[in-house]
Amino acid sequence: MAKLQQRLLLWVALVSTLNACSVVKTTAKAAYSVGKFAVETVVSPFTHDEIESIDGLSPEEAIRQGRVKNAPYVVYGKTYVPMSVEESRNYKEKGIASWYGEETRKKDGGKITANGEKFDPDKLSAAHKYLPLPINVRVTNLETKRSIIVRVNDRGPFAHERIIDLSAGAAKKLGFYEKGTAMVSVEVVSLTADTGT
């Protein structure tokens, strides 16, 4: 109960601070881990029932309900400032993709994504440092030319200059699960695109 009160007080202070910076939908800080990285991030002050209820919301519906997460967060002392929904509409980038899976889910906090959704390594999802959560992106393996749409609902990767961290299931579909990494292009697609999740 004391932790909940601390979070609520922190949330009120954070809302006041971030409102001055024109950041919308601010929330309380919490810690979660992505692989071996401990991440301090901003999370929505939802109850357990509310967190469960956002599973499966399309990005369009999340935006309509005001449940998009794009508040600044800190990892190892570095502050990351995600894009607004408007900025993200034109996002397109090429770079290295990696993947994460069951080893993450087994770690403390590894069962929940930064968006408060259940992490399932077999579903088509991804982690990104700067895109608002949730959002759909098309990822194309530039070597094999395979392309899929995934739901970005987590934060990362924070190592080796990688631009996106895909679920193990997405890496398998793109053909680089065994290899571990791949050169990809990533672009935001229709907010209602079906990711198969």
Side-chain angles (χ1 to χ4, degrees):
M1 192 64 168
K3 283 188 177 183
L4 179 60
Q5 289 174 336
Q6 285 179 326
R7 284 185 177 182
L8 288 175
L9 288 173
L10 181 57
W11 178 73
V12 170
L14 192 58
V15 167
S16 301
T17 304
L18 292 176
N19 276 343
C21 301
S22 300
V23 176
V24 253
K25 291 296 164 197
T26 46
T27 49
K29 282 190 177 181
Y32 76 103
S33 57
V34 178
K36 64 183 180 179
F37 298 100
V39 178
E40 184 181 23
T41 188
V42 179
V43 297
S44 298
F46 297 142
T47 66
H48 179 71
D49 290 339
E50 288 170 321
I51 287 174
E52 293 301 312
S53 73
I54 70 170
D55 277 357
L57 270 187
S58 71
E60 183 179 64
E61 183 63 13
I63 290 166
R64 190 186 71 72
Q65 292 184 21
R67 291 191 175 189
V68 173
K69 289 186 59 179
N70 63 348
Y73 63 99
V74 178
V75 177
Y76 284 137
K78 179 176 178 181
T79 300
Y80 294 86
V81 181
M83 300 173 212
S84 68
V85 172
E86 274 309 309
E87 290 171 318
S88 71
R89 290 184 194 276
N90 299 316
Y91 170 80
K92 187 171 185 176
E93 185 175 9
K94 291 181 182 177
I96 298 172
S98 51
W99 64 266
Y100 65 128
E102 198 60 44
E103 75 290 343
T104 297
R105 190 159 64 173
K106 289 178 181 173
K107 292 183 180 294
D108 286 344
K111 291 186 170 84
I112 302 295
T113 67
N115 199 41
E117 299 177 1
K118 295 174 198 167
F119 173 60
D120 183 343
D122 296 323
K123 290 201 173 178
L124 303 183
S125 63
H128 196 280
K129 293 187 285 284
Y130 299 108
L131 287 170
L133 307 179
I135 202 160
N136 292 330
V137 296
R138 182 181 306 281
V139 182
T140 303
N141 182 332
L142 295 176
E143 183 180 329
T144 65
K145 305 305 181 201
R146 290 187 196 175
S147 182
I148 59 171
I149 294 173
V150 299
R151 177 181 176 88
V152 179
N153 63 3
D154 210 353
R155 289 294 179 217
F158 300 107
H160 311 297
E161 304 301 318
R162 295 170 186 169
I163 64 167
I164 195 165
D165 216 2
L166 298 168
S167 64
K172 287 174 185 174
K173 284 199 175 283
L174 284 173
F176 74 91
Y177 178 80
E178 295 296 330
K179 187 178 172 186
T181 61
M183 183 63 74
V184 300
S185 71
V186 181
E187 64 181 313
V188 169
V189 295
S190 165
L191 296 176
T192 54
D194 182 14
T195 62
T197 59

